[in-house]
Amino acid sequence: MTKTPIYFVPGLAAGPEIFENLKLDDSKYELQYLKWKTPLALEETIANYAMRMCNDIKTEKPILVGVSFGGIMVQEMAKFIETKKVIIISSVKNQDELPKKFKMAKFTKIYKFFPTKVVSNFEEYAQYFLGKSLKKKAKLYKKYLSIRNETYLKWSIYNVLKWEQQNTPEDIVHIHGTKDHIFPIKKIENCIKIEGGTHVMILSKAKKISKIIDEVLTC
């Protein structure tokens, strides 16, 4: 039986390790993990970056799965290549789903101070950007947030806050936790809800997410 390739894009500053708890039938699926690239410059557009990410895809009409900022990235990538399915997890589909605190950070430009905090003090990063609920678990998640390149961090935070997509892509599948404090569920429309799922449910609710992905791809 021919395996179905799935390409995964992790969240901001995260590596492929965040997908390690997913359990998908390896007789059905061939899992490919894309890694973040260093931006060509801080001014590189998200569109140009997405095109460069597409260069790592060797399959026609791929399935793309993205978590958090990775969810935004796979939507941008799908603008340049034909996809079989796009699945986003703990992410947003348009700028209206971004929380007010993101819009405030965009307005005040406080995001410009985030990168140095990330590089020099992970716990402070966890408190101010990932949310206070994660501060106590910062040591655990430090394992998964392994990308420390300052240019990438500054570029990616800027592009999360400045993302301007207005229309939700057709046929997108959105999996979202009811306890997500980064992208609150009250702002999210048309999603598959996971009760009690937080922004890092890709780790804690991997079994449920795996089942949903399989059901979506086999229905």
Side-chain angles (χ1 to χ4, degrees), residues 8 10 13-14 17 22 48 69 79 84 88-89 99 103 109-110 120 127 131 137 139 149 179 191 193 208 211:
F8 294 87
E17 297 83 7
L22 291 181
N48 193 76
F69 182 50
K79 295 174 182 178
K84 183 176 181 180
I88 66 173
I89 303 165
K103 297 177 181 178
K109 298 185 179 180
I110 194 173
S120 62
Q127 177 182 358
K137 299 179 181 179
K139 290 183 180 180
N149 181 281
K179 297 295 184 180
C191 69
K193 296 180 181 180
K208 290 184 179 180
K211 182 179 179 181

Side-chain angles (χ1 to χ4, degrees), residues 102-196:
F102 277 48
K103 297 177 181 178
M104 180 62 69
K106 173 182 175 181
F107 177 75
T108 61
K109 298 185 179 180
I110 194 173
Y111 60 85
K112 290 185 176 182
F113 297 99
F114 288 169
T116 54
K117 291 180 182 294
V118 176
V119 174
S120 62
N121 190 329
F122 179 85
E123 287 71 21
E124 194 159 348
Y125 168 70
Q127 177 182 358
Y128 287 106
F129 191 69
L130 293 181
K132 293 182 179 179
S133 63
L134 295 186
K135 187 179 179 182
K136 294 180 180 179
K137 299 179 181 179
K139 290 183 180 180
L140 173 63
Y141 297 123
K142 190 172 185 178
K143 169 187 174 183
Y144 299 100
L145 301 180
S146 57
I147 310 302
R148 294 287 187 263
N149 181 281
E150 188 169 354
T151 299
Y152 162 77
L153 292 168
K154 184 178 292 186
W155 177 89
S156 57
I157 292 171
Y158 173 86
N159 278 282
V160 171
L161 299 176
K162 293 282 189 174
W163 196 48
E164 296 180 346
Q165 179 162 284
Q166 296 182 353
N167 299 318
T168 298
E170 294 183 5
D171 300 324
I172 191 171
V173 175
H174 188 171
I175 306 171
H176 210 84
T178 61
K179 297 295 184 180
D180 192 315
H181 296 298
I182 304 302
F183 299 131
I185 191 69
K186 65 181 180 180
K187 299 277 289 184
I188 306 299
E189 296 184 354
N190 301 321
C191 69
I192 300 172
K193 296 180 181 180
I194 292 188
E195 292 298 325

